[in-house]
Amino acid sequence: MIRTDLIAPVAELLKRQALRYPHKMAYADPNGSVTYGELESIVTKLATQLRALGIEPGTSAGIWLPNSVDWVVACLAVVRAGGVAVPVSFDATIPEASYRFEDSGSLALITTSDRLDAIGAAAPRTVILTDGDGNGEKHSFRNLCSTPVGGITLEADNIDRVSYIVYTSGTTGRAKGVMLTTRSMLWVTAACWAPILGLDESDRVLSPLPLFHSYALNIAVLGILATGASEYI
């Protein structure tokens, strides 16, 4: 039986799980964890900050981070702001990463200091660092996640618009950006992961999958959120 109840906007899923399981661990990594109540709050705050930084509906933001809770928060916040998340492998070469940011038209980049130093002037105009305090044109991820921007109203994200651009490996030619919607991604959870694999709120999942890949984005990010399971990344 297809679980169509699991197919909903990210905003709705965040609120749903925050109300059902406010103190339950949603995602964890070696550096910490976040509950569903905290996740909804942090993602919403960051989304208002992204709006203030120019991530309007339909604009793209690159995510160049290692597997982590920060990765999940960044991805969900971009979508919550109405933007298009562009995940890139943390092990991508500078030419590979630069091409993806330019090709997708990414206006912002969420990354680490070492990756920013490596890419230099090829980075998108707005940079958010998960390991920096922020200065000048660089912003602190921690600071943005802690304080919402007043006066910004976030409408519910549209699950039928492009919300993710995931690049192919490029083994048969130049990598191509595949445009994905939240509805198309969650159909896999509704038709496969939940009814066939049995993924539900009682599960604790151990995931070694690279989150930038569509497979991991599907089951290890959106699938966890939709079902209310818990995951160690």
Side-chain angles (χ1 to χ4, degrees):
M1 178 180 176
I2 296 178
R3 292 283 308 278
T4 55
D5 58 301
L6 301 180
I7 304 173
V10 165
E12 182 177 330
L13 294 175
L14 286 167
K15 181 174 290 186
R16 180 188 301 177
Q17 307 305 11
L19 290 173
R20 292 171 66 190
Y21 312 115
H23 306 299
K24 179 182 180 181
M25 187 266 280
Y27 303 91
D29 64 24
N31 297 312
S33 63
V34 62
T35 67
Y36 274 111
E38 293 167 339
L39 182 67
E40 196 273 338
S41 176
I42 293 170
V43 167
T44 301
K45 290 173 183 175
L46 180 55
T48 66
Q49 293 282 358
L50 292 174
R51 275 288 183 88
L53 292 173
I55 302 303
E56 300 290 337
T59 59
S60 301
I63 300 171
W64 199 15
L65 295 171
N67 273 13
S68 59
V69 172
D70 287 347
W71 196 107
V72 175
V73 169
C75 181
L76 296 178
V78 170
V79 175
R80 184 70 187 89
V84 180
V86 183
V88 173
S89 169
F90 196 62
D91 295 322
T93 65
I94 300 307
E96 288 171 339
S98 300
Y99 162 67
R100 285 156 174 75
F101 300 140
E102 180 180 358
D103 183 68
S104 63
S106 293
L107 299 181
L109 173 62
I110 305 174
T111 190
T112 61
S113 297
D114 63 334
R115 288 302 186 272
L116 178 62
D117 290 341
I119 198 171
R125 68 186 187 196
T126 298
V127 175
I128 301 170
L129 297 176
T130 57
D131 59 349
D133 295 329
N135 57 77
E137 297 181 354
K138 303 178 185 65
H139 304 271
S140 164
F141 183 81
R142 303 279 168 248
N143 292 343
L144 298 185
C145 287
S146 64
T147 307
V149 177
I152 292 181
T153 300
L154 298 172
E155 64 275 7
D157 46 294
N158 182 348
I159 64 173
D160 293 311
R161 66 168 178 78
V162 175
S163 294
Y164 320 88
I165 296 179
V166 178
Y167 280 82
T168 60
S169 63
T171 53
T172 58
R174 201 163 197 187
K176 300 172 180 64
V178 180
M179 297 181 289
L180 301 167
T181 68
T182 297
R183 185 188 297 277
S184 68
M185 297 294 276
L186 287 175
W187 260 108
V188 182
T189 297
C192 179
W193 305 135
I196 298 176
L197 186 64
L199 182 65
D200 64 21
E201 67 278 4
S202 68
D203 284 310
R204 290 177 63 87
V205 177
L206 172 64
S207 176
L209 298 170
L211 296 182
F212 77 93
H213 195 280
S214 60
Y215 181 41
L217 176 58
N218 196 303
I219 187 172
V221 179
L222 295 175
I224 297 297
L225 175 63
T227 59
S230 297
E231 177 175 86
Y232 185 84
I233 301 168

